[in-house]
Each structure stands twice: as structure tokens, then as C-alpha cells.
Amino acid sequence: MNITYPQDQASLQNFIHLLTHQKHASLNIRCYSRSGKIIPLTFQAQTIQFQKQTCIAGIIISSFSRHIDPISGLRDAFYCENICNEYIDKPEIDQFLLGILDLDNFQSFNDTLGYTAGNQLLRRTTGFLQSVLPEKAKLFRLENDQFALLCTNCSASTLQGWVNVLNQLFITNEMPTISCGFVSYPKDGQEWHRLRKRAQFAMKQAKRDGKAKSRSFSLPLEIQQHQSEQLRVSLRQSIHNQMQGFYLMYQPQLTKDGRMKGMEALLRWNQEPCDTFVPILEASGLLFEITGWLFNQALRDFAVMRKEDSSLSISINLSYPQLLEEHITENIHAALCRYQVPSTALIIEITETRIAENFLIVKPILNKLRAMGIRIAMDDFGTGYASLSFLRQMPIDIIKIDRSFVINLETHPADSMFIRLITDIGKELGCAICLEGIETAGQLARLSDISIDTIQGYYFSRPLVRDAMLEYLHQQKDR
């Protein structure tokens, strides 16, 4: 056992134990050579009966050549782990960097051009990586479109500069860029699995930050990610436990003189801020599982509230992934019929950025909803990059001006000028205008000569649960 690499000794014991329960087994393992070098080996063994005793017979194969990736010609993840552990064990190496590199949008490239083209791209990428490889750095292919870099004489700034040079090469040669995450031994970890996990985390952060970037590992970000993962698990449990913890609130939408026009349904969960849990729902695909509940709950409540005023409308937010759900228009129509709510009373809100980014995909879906009599609102207008030409082409009925234009309305007169400009353009295009975020009488006064149709904000009312909303409607009738 003394020649077995320490971290593989438990695997060897499990391998021997496994052979007491089955006839054949194989194991990849690392052992020390006489010179002390770590060598990868493969054990292939079986149990046999010899002189009335159960024995283990097998062969040991050097798997050095097995750990060469056939596409890139690089050493693979197993070999990368071996080298990393050698560095850790060598007292003369007191610091090194591990970088994880991942091609951006590689899956889309594969889906579009096929796996043969994908393999050719991997070979070409390997050539570029090797052509500018830092001195004494070692390159490996881990899996799919992911590579690893081990460097004993690199600073963080050197590695970041290397990634920048690479991405310029890739852009010049019309190739996908790369995102890189890296860690430093021993600061960010003292064993392979932790180092790799944290480098992976940093790489994913680089992708979240816009891709074609490099990011070093950050403990605060890892803690934040861990908290998000815990939140995701809790959200999934709530969904599978009959939506326990989820509820809806409704924020009134009124004219400038305080007449009730409609309301927006707002998703809430266990007192968590919506900007905390909604992005996690969307990123994890859990939004798909609540779409049906959301529409049924909102329209059920609205059917009751609408008895107070049949002219009211209800706005429901749909994310871009929800809008692409199969049979989304049919399911919305079924919910409207189920609660006897006319389609003209329903407004679907979708954010400006997601409409603009996916214009050709979204447009026919929105056209189908509008053909049903449902109105479409562009939410958070002014925070994205929708052009005037885009506004003219998009099938929308309402522009909701983002609250960021309202925050400094009393102290920055220029903000009212922007609101007036957006309102005038919207009116020319035949759109109604809703302004979000009005909280004070002073802000409202700044809008006196601007043709805004509805206003939504704390000045009139905070979001209300259904029964409180019914009471609010009663008070509106008594005005």
C-alpha cells in the first residue's frame, strides 16, 4: 500500500471490497515509481477459485497513453489532477495558478454546425492556446469545450493579460471567445477538488459578467452563490409543496387625479425581496413550474375584484422563458375562460431588454396574444436599448416608464423632460403610457402637463393582498 498515492488508497480499498461482491472490476489509480514520480495505472481484476480459495487475479496497465485526449492531443483531466497534486506535494513549489477556460457559446456552435465542425474548432482553439502559452505553463483538456492551465510562474495579471490576448486572436479569426476563472494555491485551496471547483466558480462568474473575460476566485462571491443555491432549494421545495410560501399582491394603477384604472399582480415568496428570488427562479428554470399557478391565482382573485368595477384591467408579468412555453397562449386563454375574465382586461408585461434581445422570436407570440384581445406592455422602458425604429415595429400597446426616471424628479428637471419625450413618442405610436415609482406629491406635481395615462407607486398605494385590495376598491367607489 505504501506505493499507492495517499488520496487513492481509499479507492483501492473500495476496489478490493467490490471484488468480494462481483467477478470483474477495473480502477484508475496513481502510484509512485521507484524514482518517486506519480504514474497513472489501470487495474483490471477478477475473482477466481484456486485450490478451493477465492483469489483476485488481474493485470496492471500503465494508462499514460490513455490519458491523451484524442481530439486536442492534450493530456486529460485525470492527468491534470496528477500534475496538480505533484505541485502540491513538492516543497519547492509554494505557489501556482490553476485556470479553467471555457469557450463561449460553444453549444450553440455545435448545434448549428454539427459535432465535426465542433471538433475542428476545438483543435484550432488548442493551437491558439499553445501558441501564446505562458512560459512553463501546462495545458490540458478537461471535458467538452473546457481546458485547464497550470502555471508555476504566473501572476494573476499575467494570466489575465494572456486571456485578453487570446480573445483578441479569437475575435480576429472569427472564433468563439473564452471565459476564464482561476485560483491560486495555497490561498484558494490546498487540494485538487477544491481548487478545481473554485476555478469553475470563477469561470462561471466571468460568463455572468458578460463572457470573454477572466475572473479570479472570490470567497464573498462563493458565499453569495451558496446562499443563492440554498434559496433555490427552498424555492423548489415550496413549489413541490403546492406552492407553499408563494402569494400574490396587487398594486393599483391610477390616473393622475386618483381614478382607479387597473392593477399589477406581483409575485411574492416568504417575505423575500422579489429582486432576490425572481432571478433565481428564472435562472434555474423554476419559473416554468409556476406559470399556471400564477395565471390561475391572479385571474381568480381578479374575477372577484372586477365585480367592484368591470372596467378594471390586470397586468401580469411574463419572463422571456415563460413566453416561450409550449401552448402558452392556449393556457392563458383557458385561464381567462375558467374565471370568465375578458381578454381585453388582461395586460401581459415583458421587459424592454428581453423584447429587444429576442425581437424575431418574441414578435409572433405577442402578435398572437394581441389577436386574442390581450394588451402588451413594455416594462422598465428606458433601462435597455430599444431604438425608435424598434418601438415602431414592436406589437405593444403600453409603455411603462421605469422608476429610475422618477427618483430625482423633484431635484433634476431634466428627468421630466425625458419622461415628456418618451410620452410624446409613445403617443405618436398609439401607445398608452404608465409611469412607475411615484412616491411623493412633489413628483406627481412635476407631471401635471405631461399626458401620462396611468401612474403606479407608493404615493397612491403600496402593493396589497387581495382582501386589502378589495377594501381599497370599496374606498374608491365611495370617493
Side-chain angles (χ1 to χ4, degrees):
M1 293 288 291
N2 60 342
I3 67 167
T4 306
Y5 190 74
Q7 293 182 359
D8 288 351
Q9 288 181 7
S11 297
L12 181 58
Q13 291 281 18
N14 291 335
F15 173 72
I16 295 170
H17 178 72
L18 185 65
L19 284 167
T20 64
H21 300 284
Q22 64 186 51
K23 289 186 175 181
H24 304 276
S26 62
L27 172 71
N28 289 324
I29 197 170
R30 292 161 293 186
C31 293
Y32 290 108
S33 67
R34 288 183 178 180
S35 64
K37 184 177 181 180
I38 298 172
I39 53 173
L41 301 173
T42 297
F43 290 176
Q44 293 180 352
Q46 67 181 64
T47 56
I48 61 172
Q49 294 297 318
F50 179 72
Q51 295 182 351
K52 298 182 180 181
Q53 292 186 356
T54 301
C55 303
I56 296 175
I59 57 174
I60 300 175
I61 305 169
S62 172
S63 52
F64 185 85
S65 61
R66 291 189 176 195
H67 297 288
I68 297 177
D69 172 55
I71 294 174
S72 65
L74 299 173
R75 302 296 183 193
D76 66 4
F78 183 80
Y79 207 84
C80 179
E81 180 181 353
N82 281 344
I83 300 299
C84 182
N85 286 322
E86 280 188 18
Y87 287 175
I88 292 170
D89 290 342
K90 286 182 178 179
E92 65 269 27
I93 298 179
D94 56 6
Q95 187 270 339
F96 64 85
L97 295 181
L98 169 65
I100 302 287
L101 302 97
D102 193 275
L103 285 173
D104 298 324
N105 306 313
F106 180 72
Q107 187 60 52
S108 176
F109 183 93
N110 251 356
D111 292 344
T112 304
L113 299 177
Y115 288 99
T116 300
N119 288 341
Q120 290 173 347
L121 176 64
L122 289 171
R123 293 188 190 97
R124 198 175 177 205
T125 299
T126 301
F128 278 111
L129 292 171
Q130 290 176 318
S131 69
V132 291
L133 200 63
E135 186 181 358
K136 295 184 180 179
K138 297 182 184 295
L139 187 65
F140 310 85
R141 184 185 175 206
L142 298 183
E143 58 184 355
N144 301 325
D145 59 328
Q146 202 166 99
F147 297 83
L149 178 80
L150 280 171
C151 190
T152 56
N153 63 337
C154 289
S155 65
S157 58
T158 299
L159 188 55
Q160 288 172 330
W162 179 69
V163 172
N164 292 337
V165 170
L166 274 173
N167 278 323
Q168 288 301 318
L169 277 172
F170 291 149
I171 291 169
T172 302
N173 288 273
E174 298 181 343
M175 293 170 60
T177 54
I178 61 167
S179 296
C180 174
F182 62 91
V183 292
S184 174
Y185 168 85
K187 178 174 71 73
D188 297 323
Q190 298 181 32
E191 53 93 19
W192 160 254
H193 294 290
R194 177 171 290 250
L195 288 168
R196 180 176 179 178
K197 180 181 178 181
R198 288 183 162 180
Q200 290 265 20
F201 173 81
M203 180 271 293
K204 290 177 181 177
Q205 186 61 44
K207 286 187 178 288
R208 284 191 290 268
D209 289 345
K211 302 180 181 179
K213 293 177 172 63
S214 60
R215 290 289 181 265
S216 60
F217 171 75
S218 164
L219 185 58
L221 279 175
E222 185 185 50
I223 293 170
Q224 182 182 5
Q225 181 67 19
H226 179 67
Q227 292 170 340
S228 295
E229 179 60 22
Q230 289 179 317
L231 200 59
R232 186 192 65 80
V233 171
S234 297
L235 284 163
R236 185 179 293 278
Q237 289 172 344
S238 290
I239 291 170
H240 292 169
N241 196 19
Q242 299 182 329
M243 303 300 294
Q244 184 179 10
F246 285 96
Y247 60 99
L248 295 179
M249 299 188 80
Y250 302 92
Q251 187 168 32
Q253 297 168 329
L254 304 97
T255 60
K256 285 188 289 185
D257 59 2
R259 289 180 294 110
M260 187 76 175
K261 298 292 287 184
M263 65 197 72
E264 180 181 0
L266 300 167
L267 182 65
R268 296 291 185 261
W269 178 72
N270 285 346
Q271 310 306 317
E272 286 280 346
C274 58
D275 58 356
T276 298
F277 75 88
V278 170
I280 294 173
L281 282 174
E282 183 168 353
S284 59
L286 293 174
L287 268 179
F288 292 113
E289 301 188 42
I290 69 171
T291 306
W293 176 88
L294 174 64
F295 271 91
N296 279 287
Q297 187 66 44
L299 294 178
R300 181 189 297 119
D301 289 349
F302 181 65
V304 176
M305 293 185 281
R306 191 171 173 271
K307 293 176 181 177
E308 300 295 327
D309 184 349
S310 61
S311 69
L312 294 176
S313 63
I314 183 167
S315 298
I316 300 177
N317 288 274
L318 270 187
S319 70
Y320 173 67
Q322 285 175 303
L323 199 63
L324 300 184
E325 282 186 41
E326 190 176 9
H327 308 307
I328 184 65
T329 54
E330 293 85 349
N331 292 338
I332 292 173
H333 176 72
L336 288 167
C337 294
R338 186 176 299 118
Y339 301 107
Q340 298 182 334
V341 174
S343 58
T344 52
L346 176 60
I347 298 168
I348 299 294
E349 295 190 11
I350 183 169
T351 60
E352 171 199 353
T353 301
R354 297 312 293 267
I355 294 177
E357 288 177 345
N358 305 280
F359 176 75
L360 295 177
I361 298 173
V362 166
K363 186 175 180 180
I365 302 171
L366 299 185
N367 278 331
K368 191 172 181 180
L369 290 169
R370 292 181 84 210
M372 294 163 54
I374 297 168
R375 285 174 287 171
I376 306 299
M378 181 185 286
D379 197 15
D380 300 334
F381 184 80
T383 60
Y385 47 76
S387 66
L388 297 181
S389 174
F390 167 80
L391 275 179
R392 183 172 55 81
Q393 297 176 63
M394 206 63 205
I396 56 173
D397 304 282
I398 302 166
I399 294 174
K400 294 191 73 175
I401 302 174
D402 185 69
R403 65 183 69 249
S404 60
F405 290 93
V406 174
I407 295 171
N408 299 313
L409 196 55
E410 294 179 78
T411 55
H412 291 74
D415 285 349
S416 62
M417 180 185 70
F418 282 114
I419 293 172
R420 185 190 304 278
L421 177 63
I422 295 170
T423 300
D424 290 345
I425 292 170
K427 293 291 184 180
E428 286 293 321
L429 295 172
C431 295
I433 305 297
C434 178
L435 182 62
E436 299 181 279
I438 293 295
E439 297 185 0
T440 69
Q443 290 172 338
L444 184 62
R446 291 280 185 179
L447 308 172
S448 59
D449 61 342
I450 302 178
S451 301
I452 292 169
D453 297 284
T454 53
I455 288 174
Q456 185 177 336
Y458 287 1
Y459 176 72
F460 287 115
S461 175
R462 289 177 176 271
L464 305 168
V465 295
R466 191 196 72 166
D467 290 347
M469 188 66 178
L470 281 168
E471 180 60 31
Y472 187 88
L473 291 171
H474 286 311
Q475 294 172 3
Q476 285 284 313
K477 288 179 68 174
D478 295 338
R479 288 184 59 182

